[in-house]
Each structure stands twice: as C-alpha cells, then as structure tokens.
Amino acid sequence: MKSTITLCLCFLTLMGANAQGALGYQEPPKEIKELVDAPLAPWVRIDSKGENAVLLYRNAYKTIAELSEEELRLGGLRINPRTNIGSRTTYYNNVEVKEAYSKDTRGVAGLPENARLANFSWSPDEKMMSFTHTTSTGVEVWMLDVEKASAKKLTDASVNANMRTPVVWFSDSKALLVKMLPPSRKELINSAEAVPTGPTISVSSGAKAQNRTYQDLLKNPNDEQNFEQLALSDIKKVSLDGSSTDWLPTAMYTNMSFSPNGEYVMVSKIERPFSYLVTYRRFPSKTDIYDKDGTLVKNVMDVPLTEVLPKGFMATREGRRSMQWRDDQPATLVWAEALDKGDPKNEVEFRDEVFQLSAPFNGEGKSMLKTTGRFSGIEWGNDKAAVGYDYWWNTRNTKMYLFDPSNSKKAPKILADRNYQDRYSDPGDFVSTKNKFNKRVLSIVDGNAFLLGDGFSEKGQFPFVDKLNLRTQEKTRVYESAYTDKLETLYTALDMDKGDILIRIESPTEFPNYYKRNIYKENDLTPITFFDNPFKSLQGVEKEVISYKRDDGLDLDGTLYLPVGYDKAKKEKKPMILWAYPREYKDKQSAGQNTSNPNRFIYPYYGSPIYWVARDYVVLDNAAFPIVGEGEEEPNDTFRQQLVANAKAAIDAVDEMGYIDRNRVGVGGHSYGAFMVANLLSHSNLFAAGIARSGAYNRTLTPFGFQSEERSYWDSPETYYTMSPFMHADKMKTPLLLIHGEADNNSGTYPMQSERYFNALKGLGATARLVMLPKESHGYRAKESIMHLLWEQDQWLETYVKNRETMSAEVMPDR
C-alpha cells in the first residue's frame, strides 16, 4: 500500500511541477519498454511467380532528430526542402534477398552507407527493383539486381521526390523515367523572414465551396512560390548504366504511367492558379499522352481548379476523371464521367458512364459501362470480360458488374449488389495474373475466374477460394480454410492453373509467416519466411473474442486479454482498459457482425493498449462501438446514447465473467476514438479515467461535415452541439489525459482542438493533463515520443484507474 501511495504522489508531484512548461522525455516501465524495443520483422516483397523474395529492414521508429529536420507544409504536402522528398517518408536501412522457399538469405552488396531507402518498385520483368536513397543533401535513384544480390547507384542526389512517384520503369525493364531537379529552380523564400508586400486576400464569388477543414494548405503568395519551385521537375530517361537523356522539360509533374505495350506514357502535371482552400490534388491539372521518346501525342484531360463541388460525400466534378490505361489492351485509355453533373441530389438512372479510347486517341471515346452508383474501378480480363465496381455512400451500397468491354449494347450482369459494411456477404477479391504486357488482369482458367475471400461468418472466419463460371455466374467453393486455432490469410495466386496461392498463417503466439499453399492438395504447405515471435513475454497471455448484447439487442464483440500470469481459477478482480473506435452503420444487421478473430497474433504497437497486460490489467481491445441510424434516421442523431450503451454493455460483459473491478475501468481511443472518450466521460459515470489521443472536441470547428457526418453545422446545429465534448466541458468529472501531436495534419484534428478543450476543462476545475508531442503528426513516429506517450499513459492508469480506491481515500486531489 505504501509503495502504491508513493507512486501516485510522485506522479501528482510531477503533474504539479509541470502544470506548465517542459518535461524531459520519460520511459515506461521495464515490462512495456522491452516490448517496444523488440526488433521489427522485415517487409517481404515476393515476385508474382513466387520465385524470389526481397526482405526490407527498418527501425521500428524514427528519432526525434529525424522529425526535427527542416520541413515545409504546402498544399497538403510535407516536404524536406533540403533533400526534396516527403519529410515523413518511412526509410529502410537494409535489404536481403532469397530464393522464395529457401531459409538462406543473402545480404545485398553495394548498398549505400547510412542507407535511407524508399520507393521500392519491381521492374516489369521482376528481375530488378528500383529504389531511392536519401542522402544529407538529396535523393538518388538506385537499382537492385535480385539474382546477383547487388545494388548500384544510377543518379546523383538531384532527384525530385516531392510529388511522390519519382521513378517509373520502361516496359522493357531497360531504363527508367526519373523526375529530376531543374537547373532553373529558384531559391525558396523564407516566409518567416520575408517582408510582406501586401495583404493576403481570398474571395468568395457566391458559389458554395463546402470543403473539409484541410491542413497544411497554402496561405500566401510566398507559399505559392515555394510550392511551385518544389513541385517543378525535369523528366529524364535513365539507363541501367547510369547514363541519362532529357525526356520532358520543366513542369510540375505528378503522375507518370506507361501504356501496357510500352509505346506511350500518360503524364499529369499541376498548373496555376493554386488554392488556399484545398490541397494540391484539387489544383488545376493537365494530362497528356507522349510516345516513349517524349514526343507529345495528345492532350487528353484538362481539370480546372476544384474548390466548388455540390454538397455531399458522393459529389464529384464534371468531365473526365479517374483516367487510366486498360491493362488488357496495348494502348487504350479509360475514364469515367458523371451523368448527374456530379451532384448526388440529382435523381438519374445512372450516376456515371465509363469510356474507352484507343491509340492514337482521337475522338470522344466509346461508352463501355454505365453504373447506378459512383464508379470506383475496373478489373480487366480480356476482350469479352471485365469486372466493374461502383458504390454509394448514403446507402452503403456497392455493385459488381460483369460486362463485355467490346459491346456496350450488351447489358452487364450484376455479380454482387450488397451493403459494403456487410462483411458476411463479401464475395472476396478477384484473383489476378500477369499478362503478356506484364500487367495484372483477371486470372481466367477454362472460362472460370476466381475470388479470394476473408470468409467472415456467424461461425467465425474461414477464408476461401471460389470459382466463378463467367458464362453462367455459378460459384463453386474450391477451398476453405479449416483452421480453428490459427488465422490463415489468402493474399494472391502464384499460379491458379496449378492451384498455388500465397498465404500467411499466424496464431496468438505464432508470428505471421508466409507460405505457398496448393489448394488442390491436402496440407500442401511450403514455408517462405521463418520469423520468430519477438514478444516472448506475452506468450502465456489468455486471449479470446467475447460476444455480448447491447440493451437494444444489438450484437457486440471485443477482444479480451487477461493479465500475464492471470489465474482464472481464482478470478481475482483486476482493473481494465477498454479501447475502441466508433463506426457508423445504416443497418443493425451489418453493425452486429463479428469480424474479430481470436487467432490473430498478439502484436503490441505504440497505439495499442495490449502493453498493459504486462502491468496486471485486463484489456478489452477493439470493443465494438457501432452507431446505427436506419432509414431516414442518421447514426449521429442518437450518437451519445448509443455510445454509452456500447460502453455499458462491454463493461457488464467482462464484469459478469468475474475478471474485473468495474469501479476501476479506464477508457482510451485515438482520433475519433478520442472524441468517443471525451463524450463517454462527459455523459456517463462508467469510467475511472480516460485517455484521448489526437482528437477533435468542438465540431463547430469542422462545420462542413466530419467522419461520416454529411450534414453541415447549419443543416443540423443541434447535432454538432450535442456531439461536441467542448460544449459540455462543465460535465467532466472524470480524470482525462489529452495527448496530441503538435504537427497533426489530419483533417479536423487540429492541435488547437486539444488545447482549447484543455483550457475549458482547466477553467471549469476538471482533472486533466495535456501532453503536446513536439514534431509529431496525427500518428506518432519518434521513439522518444512513443516512450514518453507510454509513460504518460501508464502513470495515468496507475494513478487514476488501478489505484483509484487508494487515491480517493488517501491522496486524490479535490475535484
């Protein structure tokens, strides 16, 4: 008892001493720190034939020094202006290769020292990989020869990776197109030191521009100048011997993609005028087709500045959009156009129409498909078969169309017409294979296509392979996972003729590893990776998915973890952490489905509450928090009531099992989960304390919609008021830990949200603590930040949850 009181007093002393000001980075207890320090398994890249694997290694976290490198935030991008690559890029520091089914790996010779590798891309023949290396002054392009396990540099450090996709392969795998810094690029303006030449002015012409609250936008002419200079590139053709030739002159290039036959290249570029309201993706753009030598063939798409759109999540702009190559044809463009003028409120038979246009790209294009919802993509097969998709957010509907791309007069057949939130009815994803152009198309064997499905059902999760007869649309199940103690994930087909597919197998204590499975032979498994479990201290943790009901009869579930070494026979009542994220549904049937798998590997990461099983807590992770609105009712019309009902049902369920002291339950969440936490603490007495990370608490600051709320503040002010914890800060009587990244770039979750909410709580006498993590965005990256985050959470839980009775009786501060 004495040591417990001492711990709590120490934390309260720290809180008082640092009520304002800085605190050095702290580290969590040993039990948690050891889990954080566990090595990260490599990212595995396996070629399409399953012959070779490339293993990419990296540190689990960045350092605060890396996050402190120079950064410009412009037009929705975050750029390191010294190195000309995204400032938040994830880097790999080592590469190994191996024959797919061998245990032996080979280190890659010739890699740069202090490697910071990114942008890995297979060559079309899959014998090589291109990648970038970021030096202290810029970005280089390198090439990996997989067979030789050797790497070599192809360019100097003058690549421009600011606009992403800096490199694409020529179709013959003998050269690359690379965005390079232009010699004409001007010096950047230091906006903090520049003397203004006048005010910054924005104008509303009367058209409704109801945009989300984007961050990192351009703010003034200096930003415009800097964005343009950072976006400008020359495109050069770089051969594998490192020689280069000019290909296209200076412009603000974004995307580059070769036609399947390699004869043409589609190139998009940004143009002025820029915007202070939207990100660069909605700036004016121009898409042109060039031949492989860089000669202009045709301008195929001009997109104006898109600040103004009709109201609604399904709104889109008019004109050509989603332009892409048709992967089963040599050189055919495909795009969609809205038939409802992009306005969801217009009632029409078909929302979108899809067109195709073959080289030399003259004319207006031929219609090939009309969709009742908003077009969302096509999987190509051959001249006679392709599969199109659409969706409609308001009804959560999606359709899958089997159509003949050569005959638009032939009515498409609906393969699926379903609620996309209904996981039990999900037919799966079509299997693809590489064609003669090295593009992925439907794998069709004897007139049959194949689907890989997750296999969620009322009985559990059993991934499957279905065979679909394209002529009759009859389905036959050719494989279904039989595991009840492991989770099998079906990734892709390696050879559908033979029945070879790439899978991954894991269990709560068995680290996920890749295998080749032959679905036509029983127990025919060939291992590809051999990773060990790095989290040995969690080996004995009891894990199960529990099911329970809300007071209105809705089925709920969550993943329950018992503390390390817990004796179920004694049923000692422990403190509990409940972690959740609310999700909106339009029907109870989908909302009540169980998609948690008890056989998933126990994998702690910085955002997870699982660490606290090592600190003697019960953890209910990923607890279902559905918010349902059926028919004309919107989910958020009863958001608070459903939130509290979800939480009470979860606590009741675990309490009835005899594992917890229901007076010592903490609740946590990130982003919209943080919003959930603040609401639960304000409108219920279910919890001893809460942890809210990177949340938004005043919905009037996101007035044109948030999360899945389509209505604006002016459409439904009572919804925004009722759902905003800031408006009810006077009701907060439960200790709340607020954590936020100072550089949060997520739409709506400005750091100001936590700062203003904390000010309100402090002003009203609530027990609260605000931790602002320097340099961190919406998700946290630096190891120093992660360690401190876990320390803060642990201290908060120990003080206000585990030792709540001690604190209230002995040293709990007056609230």
Side-chain angles (χ1 to χ4, degrees):
M1 176 70 75
K2 191 171 184 179
S3 61
T4 296
I5 297 174
T6 301
L7 180 152
C8 297
L9 282 170
C10 287
F11 181 56
L12 291 171
T13 301
L14 271 175
M15 288 174 64
N18 293 280
Q20 284 180 289
L23 172 68
Y25 287 111
Q26 303 295 306
E27 290 191 344
K30 178 183 176 183
E31 305 96 312
I32 294 177
K33 186 175 183 298
E34 286 179 348
L35 294 170
V36 177
D37 285 335
L40 189 69
W43 181 28
V44 182
R45 299 287 302 271
I46 301 171
D47 65 31
S48 63
K49 294 180 181 179
E51 294 176 346
N52 293 294
V54 178
L55 309 180
L56 307 177
Y57 295 83
R58 67 177 178 89
N59 296 325
Y61 310 101
K62 287 181 175 287
T63 65
I64 197 66
E66 288 178 285
L67 289 190
S68 300
E69 292 177 1
E70 188 176 359
E71 178 179 75
L72 292 181
R73 304 169 188 173
L74 301 168
L77 291 172
R78 293 191 166 186
I79 294 169
N80 183 325
R82 179 181 296 274
T83 56
N84 291 290
I85 192 170
S87 54
R88 307 279 165 155
T89 299
T90 295
Y91 291 115
Y92 295 84
N93 51 32
N94 193 24
V95 182
E96 292 180 340
V97 300
K98 74 185 202 72
E99 294 178 0
Y101 310 114
S102 170
K103 273 191 172 184
D104 299 327
T105 62
R106 293 182 292 160
V108 173
L111 288 173
E113 293 184 7
N114 303 314
R116 301 175 78 192
L117 315 178
N119 297 299
F120 287 85
S121 176
W122 284 106
S123 61
D125 63 9
E126 295 184 312
K127 293 180 179 179
M128 294 164 287
M129 265 190 167
S130 62
F131 59 92
T132 59
H133 166 53
T134 303
T135 72
S136 60
T137 58
V139 176
E140 304 165 341
V141 171
W142 285 63
M143 184 200 73
L144 164 67
D145 185 313
V146 177
E147 183 179 354
K148 296 179 180 178
S150 64
K152 70 174 183 178
K153 185 171 74 170
L154 298 182
T155 74
D156 60 16
S158 58
V159 173
N160 188 346
N162 290 330
M163 303 303 291
R164 300 166 184 165
T165 318
V167 179
V168 295
W169 283 91
F170 275 77
S171 297
D172 61 5
S173 300
K174 294 181 179 179
L176 309 102
L177 287 180
V178 182
K179 297 177 190 173
M180 306 293 287
L181 299 175
S184 60
R185 192 168 91 167
K186 299 176 183 176
E187 289 291 320
L188 300 181
I189 298 171
N190 186 331
S191 295
E193 298 178 359
V195 177
T197 59
T200 299
I201 298 171
S202 298
V203 176
S204 173
S205 62
K208 293 181 179 180
Q210 299 189 4
N211 294 298
R212 288 280 180 125
T213 48
Y214 299 111
Q215 301 198 50
D216 297 343
L217 298 177
L218 304 181
K219 298 181 178 65
N220 53 54
N222 290 343
D223 282 354
E224 292 189 60
Q225 168 78 1
N226 286 343
F227 175 85
E228 181 173 33
Q229 296 308 307
L230 290 166
L232 289 171
S233 298
D234 294 340
I235 299 181
K236 294 186 179 293
K237 179 180 180 179
V238 179
S239 299
L240 300 189
D241 62 5
S243 62
S244 67
T245 55
D246 295 339
W247 201 80
L248 283 184
T250 306
M252 291 181 282
Y253 298 111
T254 53
N255 300 317
M256 307 179 290
S257 64
F258 276 88
S259 62
N261 67 359
E263 294 298 316
Y264 300 95
V265 188
M266 180 165 52
V267 179
S268 298
K269 59 186 177 184
I270 291 172
E271 298 189 326
R272 283 181 176 267
F274 301 146
S275 171
Y276 296 173
L277 288 178
V278 295
T279 67
Y280 80 99
R281 295 183 185 277
R282 288 168 64 177
F283 291 176
S285 66
K286 187 182 188 73
T287 299
D288 297 315
I289 304 298
Y290 296 85
D291 67 22
K292 63 183 179 182
D293 297 319
T295 301
L296 179 64
V297 175
K298 191 79 173 181
N299 168 245
V300 292
M301 187 165 64
D302 289 299
V303 180
L305 175 64
T306 310
E307 287 186 338
V308 177
L309 283 174
K311 185 179 178 182
F313 288 173
M314 297 313 301
T316 190
R317 60 176 176 80
E318 294 188 73
R320 296 179 177 184
R321 73 174 200 277
S322 303
M323 186 167 283
Q324 57 194 269
W325 293 109
R326 182 174 162 181
D327 289 334
D328 66 324
Q329 294 294 309
T332 297
L333 292 171
V334 178
W335 67 88
E337 295 185 29
L339 297 176
D340 58 1
K341 297 184 178 180
D343 191 342
K345 78 174 187 297
N346 291 334
E347 295 295 332
V348 293
E349 182 179 5
F350 298 105
R351 292 287 177 179
D352 281 345
E353 187 170 12
V354 184
F355 297 88
Q356 61 180 333
L357 181 64
S358 297
F361 316 109
N362 296 319
E364 294 301 313
K366 296 179 181 179
S367 175
M368 61 194 313
L369 178 68
K370 292 182 179 180
T371 59
T372 56
R374 195 64 75 206
F375 169 75
S376 60
I378 291 179
E379 293 186 77
W380 301 102
N382 53 38
D383 287 341
K384 299 296 182 182
V387 178
Y389 299 86
D390 72 7
Y391 77 107
W392 198 250
W393 177 84
N394 304 76
T395 58
R396 310 303 199 265
N397 179 260
T398 183
K399 292 182 180 65
M400 182 189 295
Y401 304 82
L402 176 64
F403 70 100
D404 184 342
S406 301
N407 185 359
S408 61
K409 294 181 180 179
K410 187 176 179 180
K413 296 176 180 178
I414 305 296
L415 296 178
D417 183 355
R418 51 182 288 273
N419 182 328
Y420 58 73
Q421 290 184 311
D422 179 1
R423 299 296 301 279
Y424 291 178
S425 70
D426 189 344
D429 298 321
F430 278 97
V431 172
S432 64
T433 187
K434 279 199 167 187
N435 63 9
K436 63 181 180 181
F437 303 121
N438 282 317
K439 299 294 184 180
R440 300 205 73 92
V441 296
L442 294 177
S443 178
I444 301 175
V445 180
D446 298 328
N448 297 298
F450 298 85
L451 296 120
L452 305 182
D454 290 332
F456 289 109
S457 70
E458 292 181 356
K459 297 180 180 179
Q461 184 181 5
F462 303 96
F464 61 82
V465 181
D466 278 351
K467 179 171 66 175
L468 173 69
N469 186 302
L470 294 177
R471 183 179 61 83
T472 66
Q473 287 79 64
E474 291 183 5
K475 279 185 186 177
T476 305
R477 183 141 301 178
V478 295
Y479 175 76
E480 184 173 280
S481 179
Y483 286 120
T484 57
D485 59 343
K486 297 182 180 182
L487 169 60
E488 177 177 6
T489 304
L490 313 181
Y491 273 92
T492 188
L494 300 172
D495 188 333
M496 208 61 230
D497 282 335
K498 296 179 180 178
D500 291 338
I501 59 175
L502 177 67
I503 69 167
R504 193 177 75 173
I505 296 175
E506 62 191 283
S507 76
T509 58
E510 180 182 335
F511 195 87
N513 274 293
Y514 292 93
Y515 299 80
K516 180 185 73 172
R517 176 186 286 285
N518 188 288
I519 60 174
Y520 300 132
K521 300 177 183 178
E522 189 172 352
N523 297 322
D524 189 315
L525 276 178
T526 306
I528 295 175
T529 60
F530 305 86
F531 303 133
D532 291 326
N533 182 356
F535 306 110
K536 300 294 185 184
S537 62
L538 300 181
Q539 286 276 85
V541 170
E542 290 269 356
K543 174 188 179 182
E544 65 175 307
V545 173
I546 61 171
S547 298
Y548 47 96
K549 288 184 181 293
R550 203 163 72 178
D551 56 12
D552 61 357
L554 186 65
D555 291 321
L556 303 176
D557 64 87
T559 304
L560 183 69
Y561 300 86
L562 299 182
V564 172
Y566 185 82
D567 188 342
K568 295 177 74 172
K570 293 182 179 179
K571 286 205 172 177
E572 182 182 355
K573 292 185 179 295
K574 298 290 185 178
M576 183 175 84
I577 305 166
L578 185 156
W579 207 270
Y581 189 94
R583 301 186 188 280
E584 300 87 344
Y585 295 85
K586 287 298 292 177
D587 70 295
K588 289 184 177 180
Q589 190 268 335
S590 298
Q593 293 181 355
N594 184 342
T595 57
S596 299
N597 192 309
N599 300 318
R600 193 173 297 280
F601 179 68
I602 300 176
Y603 202 133
Y605 70 101
Y606 89 85
S608 166
I610 296 173
Y611 293 107
W612 278 272
V613 298
R615 295 283 287 160
D616 210 28
Y617 289 79
V618 172
V619 173
L620 184 63
D621 193 17
N622 197 28
F625 264 66
I627 309 296
V628 186
E630 295 188 304
E632 295 299 314
E633 183 182 82
E634 290 298 323
N636 287 339
D637 292 347
T638 52
F639 177 84
R640 278 178 15 193
Q641 298 95 310
Q642 293 191 63
L643 210 62
V644 173
N646 291 329
K648 183 177 184 301
I651 295 172
D652 286 348
V654 185
D655 186 30
E656 288 174 10
M657 299 173 78
Y659 297 140
I660 63 168
D661 174 356
R662 66 178 302 132
N663 293 315
R664 293 189 295 157
V665 178
V667 61
H670 189 94
S671 193
Y672 207 54
F675 177 67
M676 170 201 75
V677 168
N679 268 295
L680 284 171
L681 299 192
S682 299
H683 304 294
S684 78
N685 295 311
L686 294 169
F687 298 99
I691 298 169
R693 298 193 316 236
S694 297
Y697 309 101
N698 183 350
R699 284 303 168 193
T700 67
L701 298 178
T702 55
F704 291 113
F706 57 89
Q707 202 70 7
S708 289
E709 179 55 66
E710 191 179 38
R711 297 168 294 187
S712 75
Y713 169 78
W714 295 274
D715 294 329
S716 186
E718 66 280 1
T719 300
Y720 281 68
Y721 175 84
T722 301
M723 290 181 67
S724 295
F726 180 87
M727 304 300 180
H728 308 281
D730 58 323
K731 298 178 181 177
M732 179 63 75
K733 306 300 179 186
T734 307
L736 176 61
L737 173 63
L738 293 164
I739 302 172
H740 217 119
E742 283 186 350
D744 193 329
N745 67 338
N746 184 54
S747 175
T749 54
Y750 288 93
M752 179 181 68
Q753 288 272 7
S754 287
E755 293 168 343
R756 294 292 182 267
Y757 187 39
F758 174 76
N759 288 345
L761 295 174
K762 186 176 177 69
L764 292 166
T767 300
R769 179 174 173 89
L770 173 63
V771 179
M772 301 299 293
L773 298 173
K775 308 296 182 180
E776 295 291 353
S777 186
H778 193 60
Y780 315 140
R781 304 289 300 275
K783 189 170 185 178
E784 294 90 339
S785 302
I786 302 302
M787 290 293 192
H788 188 87
L789 164 80
L790 297 173
W791 177 82
E792 290 279 0
Q793 292 181 168
D794 184 72
Q795 295 298 305
W796 198 258
L797 292 168
E798 291 288 293
T799 303
Y800 293 110
V801 177
K802 180 184 286 186
N803 299 300
R804 182 188 189 190
E805 292 179 358
T806 303
M807 289 296 298
S808 59
E810 310 260 2
V811 294
M812 183 72 83
D814 183 15
R815 292 195 277 121

